[in-house]
Structure formats: C-alpha cells, structure tokens
C-alpha cells in the first residue's frame, strides 16, 4: 500500500505521542540540507550535510521539540570577498500544539501546530533558526581590512597600500613653480665655487 503522504526526511510522525504525555520520539540523522538555508552572502549549501539531533516529547498541549542541528556554513567575506566557512550549531526548542479536535484554530502566537496527519515538520523550524543565525555582514575575521576602495587591492597583502592623493590645485602650483625655476635658470645665482 502506498503511503498517502510523501514524508520528507525532516517530518516526524507523532501519532504515537498523542494522549501520552511523557512519550518520546527522537530524530537523529544527517540529511541533505533543503533549499534556502541561506542569505545572499552566506548559507548552508543545498544538499550538504545537515546533522539533526532532536527529541519530540509529548506534553499536555502538544509536542515539544528540543535538541540541536548543525551544518557547515560557507560564503564570502563581505569586505574582502575571500571564501569563508565555519560550523554552525543551533539549539532547537519549539512547541507544536495539537490541533483542536473540533478543528478550532489555536491562537497561541509562538507555537506551531501538529498537522492534520499528526506529523511534525522540523524543516521550517530549522530553517528559521539557522538562517537567523547567519551573519548579515559575514567577515573572514573581525579585523579584515577589506579591499582598497579605489583599486580593489587586497589591503591585507600590503598594509601600507595607499594612493598618492594629489590635490589638483597643488598639482597646478607645482607645475607653475617648475616653470619659474626653469626661467630663473639662465641668469641664475653665481656658481658657489
Ligand atoms: Zn575578509
Ligand atoms: Zn588601491
């Protein structure tokens, strides 16, 4: 018999937990990271390893999901554009409430609901937690000097890197001075010999 519902690797059947406070299910597996666990500059690459270690415990009002998830974040430094990667682990704690038998909506703002097939989908919870743990401006290290704003040179390669800032007005004066010197040259000072 074909299962009526396509179950993803991050969905847990909690039928056995209903009405049995204290009963538990665990989800302990490494799954391919689903899409969109990322922001513009950094993220967890789709299909890379996502290690999930969570417990689902039956409580009076629903199922309490607790545990952690970890994966390798990759991306690029917002300052120097170097590739960066580091491990990320997030703590998970989320309550899924049983949907009222009468079909009534549960108005508790912070909780999610166990769906009508008595399944809990862990994926959106993990996505929210992991994406919000990603830095808005990722840097390869806190004091990354970045790139030269004028030529794009990697400042780390030469901390002395600078451009000679010649004010155009000074350039004109310098030109004039050179001209004057030239004019003075023929009738110049007597040889100091
Ligand atoms: Zn950098
Ligand atoms: Zn430069």
């Amino acid at each position: 018999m074909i299962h009526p519902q396509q179950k993803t690797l991050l969905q847990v059947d909690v039928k056995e937990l209903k009405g049995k406070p204290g009963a538990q299910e665990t989800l302990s597996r490494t799954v391919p990271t689903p899409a969109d666990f990322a922001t513009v500059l950094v993220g967890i690459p789709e299909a890379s390893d996502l290690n999930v270690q969570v417990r689902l415990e039956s409580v009076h009002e629903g199922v309490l999901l607790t545990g952690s998830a970890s994966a390798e974040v990759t991306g690029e430094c917002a300052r120097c554009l170097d590739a960066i990667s580091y491990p990320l682990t997030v703590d998970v704690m989320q309550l899924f409430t049983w949907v009222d038998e009468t079909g009534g909506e549960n108005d508790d703002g912070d909780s999610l609901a166990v769906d009508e097939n008595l399944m809990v989908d862990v994926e959106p919870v993990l996505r929210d937690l992991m994406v919000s743990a990603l830095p808005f401006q990722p840097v390869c290290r806190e004091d990354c000097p970045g790139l030269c704003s004028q030529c794009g040179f990697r400042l780390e390669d030469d901390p002395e890197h600078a451009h000679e800032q010649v004010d155009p007005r000074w350039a004109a004066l310098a030109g004039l001075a050179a001209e004057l010197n030239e004019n003075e040259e023929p009738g110049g000072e007597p040889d100091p010999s």
Side-chain angles (χ1 to χ4, degrees):
M1 189 185 132
I2 296 164
H3 198 282
Q5 190 193 20
Q6 189 68 42
K7 194 175 153 204
T8 74
L9 292 170
L10 288 171
Q11 282 180 312
V12 184
D13 189 330
V14 294
K15 280 183 199 70
E16 298 298 316
L17 299 182
K18 182 133 195 182
K20 292 178 199 149
Q24 294 180 3
E25 296 273 353
T26 54
L27 177 65
S28 169
R29 54 169 60 139
T30 296
V31 303
T33 301
D36 301 324
F37 270 58
T39 61
V40 180
L41 291 170
V42 278
I44 300 151
E46 188 172 348
S48 67
D49 286 355
L50 172 62
N51 184 257
V52 183
Q53 303 290 338
V54 292
R55 195 173 68 175
L56 295 105
E57 186 183 353
S58 179
V59 291
H60 176 69
E61 58 273 59
V63 174
L64 182 63
L65 170 71
T66 55
S68 65
S70 45
E72 189 77 9
V73 173
T74 63
E76 56 185 39
C77 174
R79 292 186 203 148
C80 71
L81 310 181
D82 264 10
I84 52 177
S85 77
Y86 62 93
L88 172 69
T89 297
V90 294
D91 288 325
V92 181
M93 182 174 289
Q94 175 69 52
L95 177 68
F96 288 84
T97 52
W98 300 119
V99 174
D100 200 276
E101 245 87 53
T102 60
E105 287 290 309
N106 205 311
D107 266 345
D108 189 344
D110 286 337
S111 65
L112 298 171
V114 175
D115 76 14
E116 64 272 21
N117 299 303
L118 295 179
M119 300 281 269
V120 159
D121 191 358
V122 178
E123 180 182 323
V125 176
L126 297 184
R127 178 180 287 110
D128 273 8
L129 287 169
M130 298 193 102
V131 169
S132 56
L134 294 173
F136 185 63
Q137 289 282 339
V139 285
C140 57
R141 55 168 221 266
E142 276 314 310
D143 58 350
C144 169
L147 304 177
C148 171
S149 59
Q150 291 187 45
C151 69
F153 179 81
R154 281 169 52 92
L155 295 176
E156 185 162 59
D157 296 343
D158 177 13
E160 306 289 292
H161 177 83
H163 292 264
E164 227 168 288
Q165 304 274 0
V166 180
D167 187 305
R169 287 165 301 179
W170 283 114
L173 280 180
L176 191 59
E179 234 171 80
L180 287 173
N181 279 339
E182 255 168 48
N183 292 345
E184 268 170 24
E185 214 68 48
E189 278 128 73
D191 233 280
S193 57

